[in-house]
Amino acid sequence: MKNFQFYNPTKIIFGKDTVAELATLVPQQARVLILFGGASAEKNGTLAEVRAALGQRSVREFGGIEPNPSYETLMRAVAMAQAEHVDYLLAVGGGSVIDGTKFVAAAAVFDGDAWEIARSGGTKVRKALAFGAVLTLPATGSEMNNGAVVTHKASQDKLAFRSPLLFPQFSVLDPTKTFTLPARQVANGLVDAFVHTTEQYLTYPVQALAQDRFAESLLQTLVEIAPRALAAPDDYATRANLMWTATLALNGLIGAGVPQDWATHMIGHELTALYDIDHARTLAIVLPSLLKVQREQKRAKLLQYGERVWGIRDGSEEERLDAAVDATRAFFERLGVPTRLSAYGLGAQAVEAVLAQLAKHGMTRLGEHGDIDLARSRRILEEAL
Amino acid sequence: MKNFQFYNPTKIIFGKDTVAELATLVPQQARVLILFGGASAEKNGTLAEVRAALGQRSVREFGGIEPNPSYETLMRAVAMAQAEHVDYLLAVGGGSVIDGTKFVAAAAVFDGDAWEIARSGGTKVRKALAFGAVLTLPATGSEMNNGAVVTHKASQDKLAFRSPLLFPQFSVLDPTKTFTLPARQVANGLVDAFVHTTEQYLTYPVQALAQDRFAESLLQTLVEIAPRALAAPDDYATRANLMWTATLALNGLIGAGVPQDWATHMIGHELTALYDIDHARTLAIVLPSLLKVQREQKRAKLLQYGERVWGIRDGSEEERLDAAVDATRAFFERLGVPTRLSAYGLGAQAVEAVLAQLAKHGMTRLGEHGDIDLARSRRILEEAL
């Protein structure tokens, strides 16, 4: 096991009818800015519940935070927060809204060019507004971590940042808020949580027994609930398991003391920035091909993954490795999430474009061994054609 | 899944050579009281490392906190903390020292009779000194939770309390600090972590899939590492897994959203208070017998436990239930931890004495269903003779 630090002070309020808890979670004297995405938060009644719970507090609202939240949009929220002397942010939505809120929390009190927050990976964040979240879309884990990803539309840069100052103070997780989600977003959430887990698990063994088993627990659970998560939108138990599993997949726990990969995310980010493919869908394109290309480096963990997650015990080692990668690809495809660039009409030109962006962003030593250079990324992308 | 709240702000610093991190973890201006147990912390050099890391800070020391820390001893530490105007506590030791430090943290600034802290279960705690911990004995999980147990020697009362104000700010977990532990304490730690897990797992199913699998992960890991944990004291990987697993067993995570039992602990506490049997050893006495007596209430989870933790898949349902209970008892016995009262020279008289204490402490509706009344506790204790 590697040395590690674990720290996560976000308070989770989980369950049915918990939005009303905002009445005590948000400070009484707070000047609140509610941030949200599209019309669904209004339509499904969540915003009305949030407003009711906030009662007599001073409240402003900023809607329209898009999937893969853009610097351009978020800076309008920053201007509003500053103009209105807001001192508390409340994200109502999924990972994009919460990620965007983290950027606003840091940018509203940042000295200098706010894009430096993203460009520095968060190291330049010295202070931030306090904020909480009401989660409506289980997927990214942003509700219980201190990281975020924002996109500079003008430059097509999609950058990740994190800071100890950017944990939500609390997150309200009410699984019933997911009942009205489109199936596509649920499938994306399943894939996102799955790949968050594999990024922290499918590397090489370091005798971190509980971490391995926790990761396998999350993968097994996602596989178990996936069919009902798609087929029975108002099955509370299934949605509750999806929501909590997605949170646990990226709250620091399973990654404590183990090597991490994240190459799938880094390559996927470029696909989203260039072609506007949903984040999770880019992961489904990259991961199976990456596992194939990195088969030797990941051999021991791939075999363990095949056996413990997919029950693959028969056949030669090579056959079991193949089966583990195939099972991963087939899982995504069963969810209706394509695993090939061709499904998006993309070909060899896209490979070149992604490689150019990876080069531009210095993504030339990816993976747990730092051995995914541009040549290796090319092989992965070509494998995904 | 049940509604739940999860909050755990303790920062974990885990790994080799991490005691030196105290230099930045403890505030520079703090007036520190170090609390520790017996001579081992001095002998094995941990205290010297701690002193060195604290550097020029004002430091006092209070040694002699015993296993099952007593109110009487702790009140002497409280007097010292008050007389020396200490504003930061640092526990160096195992669960008893950390539990004791929690009591001192609350009692040093408590208005009124400090025993009310324990008698109220912690609800009367309004403020507390800040504190951190250096863990030397993996077992109780006290290093990453807000609960503690203290014993009033004069009255033989052993009471648990908790408060949101009693999380350690940080805990340093260096597995090498466990290399010098006596085998008996390692065996106790394995049992303690195991039973912490079963108290939050062996109840009834609520479709909490990740929580179940996390609990099973910890149990599987404890079973896997137990032989080497005893046979190879300086096997770093084994001790690291023991340390982190024991912490995860009682930091709120696996108990979030699921029913909890804790009857084994409540009955066990009386055995410790009356007969001074090590805490973990009382759990090993009570749990197998409790599982036998509560077999019907726990049927579904016992079968799941048998299959996933012990690989019990063959035979009738009744046979598999028997096998799951037997495997639990055999595991403890293999660790050298007896599972019968008779091993301590106790018989029918002890049963009566424990029942009298349970009645005195109002422990008449124990277990996840509140159905373990005194008659049921009698059956459990008689089963353990």
Side-chain angles (χ1 to χ4, degrees), chain B residues 47-331:
Chain B
L47 272 177
E49 273 184 75
V50 168
R51 288 183 198 115
L54 291 176
Q56 298 305 311
R57 292 175 183 82
S58 162
V59 173
R60 303 289 181 276
E61 298 184 5
F62 182 91
I65 297 182
E66 63 273 64
N68 309 302
S70 74
Y71 168 78
E72 290 82 353
T73 298
L74 297 173
M75 286 308 289
R76 290 193 290 112
V78 168
M80 188 177 193
Q82 291 170 334
E84 302 283 345
H85 303 291
V86 159
D87 58 17
Y88 206 96
L89 306 180
L90 182 62
V92 179
S96 293
V97 172
I98 303 173
D99 278 15
T101 299
K102 290 176 182 175
F103 184 82
V104 174
V109 291
F110 192 74
D111 297 323
D113 173 9
W115 186 241
E116 280 298 309
I117 293 166
R119 197 143 44 192
S120 71
T123 58
K124 293 198 175 167
V125 175
R126 297 276 174 274
K127 52 192 171 178
L129 295 181
F131 66 100
V134 175
L135 183 69
T136 59
L137 199 173
T140 75
S142 188
E143 63 277 10
M144 199 184 179
N145 66 41
N146 63 351
V149 182
V150 291
T151 301
H152 201 302
K153 271 192 182 165
S155 63
Q156 288 183 320
D157 292 330
K158 184 170 181 179
L159 297 180
F161 62 97
R162 61 180 57 240
S163 162
L165 298 169
L166 292 177
F167 283 102
Q169 287 193 337
F170 65 81
S171 283
V172 174
L173 277 59
D174 181 343
T176 67
K177 297 297 167 210
T178 73
F179 288 179
T180 53
L181 286 173
R184 178 191 181 98
Q185 293 197 355
V186 175
N188 284 355
L190 287 160
V191 172
D192 204 15
F194 195 94
V195 181
H196 287 160
T197 307
T198 59
E199 297 276 34
Q200 301 167 84
Y201 165 68
L202 278 177
T203 57
Y204 54 89
V206 294
Q207 293 185 273
L209 305 180
Q211 291 92 322
D212 275 9
R213 288 193 171 104
F214 275 16
E216 290 151 3
S217 295
L218 300 180
L219 298 173
Q220 290 161 348
T221 298
L222 291 167
V223 170
E224 180 177 344
I225 64 177
R228 277 193 73 74
L230 289 175
D234 55 358
D235 179 321
Y236 181 82
T238 299
R239 291 299 172 97
N241 279 301
L242 172 57
M243 203 167 217
W244 189 222
T245 299
T247 300
L248 292 168
L250 197 54
N251 73 347
L253 184 69
I254 62 170
V258 299
Q260 304 198 13
D261 183 339
W262 296 105
T264 296
H265 270 72
M266 293 305 112
I267 300 172
H269 284 175
E270 306 299 357
L271 283 166
T272 297
L274 287 172
Y275 305 109
D276 208 25
I277 302 173
D278 295 355
H279 170 60
R281 290 175 175 243
T282 69
L283 306 177
I285 293 167
V286 178
L287 180 67
S289 299
L290 181 141
L291 294 180
K292 194 163 176 187
V293 171
Q294 295 296 90
R295 171 190 184 108
E296 289 310 320
Q297 293 88 333
K298 294 181 186 292
R299 176 174 285 263
K301 290 301 278 288
L302 264 176
L303 289 167
Q304 180 178 322
Y305 161 74
E307 178 172 348
R308 295 194 186 173
V309 176
W310 297 109
I312 297 166
R313 291 184 188 85
D314 300 329
S316 69
E317 209 168 281
E318 302 312 315
E319 286 167 344
R320 283 180 282 140
L321 289 166
D322 287 339
V325 177
D326 291 348
T328 310
R329 186 182 296 280
F331 176 60

Side-chain angles (χ1 to χ4, degrees), chain A residues 4 6 12 14 207 213 224, chain B residues 4 6 12 14 213 224:
Chain A
F4 68 85
F6 178 81
I12 297 295
F14 189 101
Q207 293 185 274
R213 289 191 170 104
E224 179 177 345
Chain B
F4 68 84
F6 177 82
I12 297 295
F14 190 100
R213 288 193 171 104
E224 180 177 344

Side-chain angles (χ1 to χ4, degrees), chain A residues 1-18 21 144 169 206-211 213-218 220-222 224-225 235-238 240-241 244-245 248 251 253-254 256 308, chain B residues 1-18 21 144 169 206-211 213-218 220-222 224-225 235-238 240-241 244-245 248 251 253-254 256 308:
Chain A
M1 201 182 309
K2 298 168 74 156
N3 281 15
F4 68 85
Q5 296 201 359
F6 178 81
Y7 171 66
N8 193 321
T10 299
K11 181 175 190 170
I12 297 295
I13 300 91
F14 189 101
K16 267 180 205 163
D17 303 324
T18 46
E21 308 272 340
M144 198 183 182
Q169 287 193 338
V206 293
Q207 293 185 274
L209 305 179
Q211 290 93 322
R213 289 191 170 104
F214 275 16
E216 291 151 2
S217 295
L218 300 180
Q220 290 161 346
T221 298
L222 291 167
E224 179 177 345
I225 64 176
D235 180 321
Y236 180 80
T238 299
N241 279 301
W244 189 223
T245 300
L248 292 169
N251 73 347
L253 183 69
I254 62 170
R308 294 193 185 173
Chain B
M1 200 183 306
K2 300 167 73 157
N3 281 16
F4 68 84
Q5 296 200 357
F6 177 82
Y7 173 65
N8 193 320
T10 299
K11 182 174 191 170
I12 297 295
I13 300 91
F14 190 100
K16 266 179 208 165
D17 302 325
T18 46
E21 307 273 339
M144 199 184 179
Q169 287 193 337
V206 294
Q207 293 185 273
L209 305 180
Q211 291 92 322
R213 288 193 171 104
F214 275 16
E216 290 151 3
S217 295
L218 300 180
Q220 290 161 348
T221 298
L222 291 167
E224 180 177 344
I225 64 177
D235 179 321
Y236 181 82
T238 299
N241 279 301
W244 189 222
T245 299
L248 292 168
N251 73 347
L253 184 69
I254 62 170
R308 295 194 186 173

Side-chain angles (χ1 to χ4, degrees), chain A residues 277-329:
Chain A
I277 302 173
D278 295 356
H279 170 59
R281 291 178 174 242
T282 69
L283 306 178
I285 293 167
V286 179
L287 181 66
S289 299
L290 181 142
L291 294 180
K292 195 162 174 187
V293 170
Q294 295 294 91
R295 172 191 183 107
E296 288 311 319
Q297 293 86 334
K298 295 181 185 292
R299 175 174 286 261
K301 290 302 277 289
L302 265 176
L303 290 166
Q304 180 178 324
Y305 161 75
E307 177 171 349
R308 294 193 185 173
V309 176
W310 298 109
I312 297 166
R313 289 184 190 85
D314 299 330
S316 70
E317 210 169 280
E318 302 312 315
E319 287 167 342
R320 283 180 280 138
L321 289 166
D322 286 338
V325 177
D326 292 348
T328 310
R329 187 182 294 282

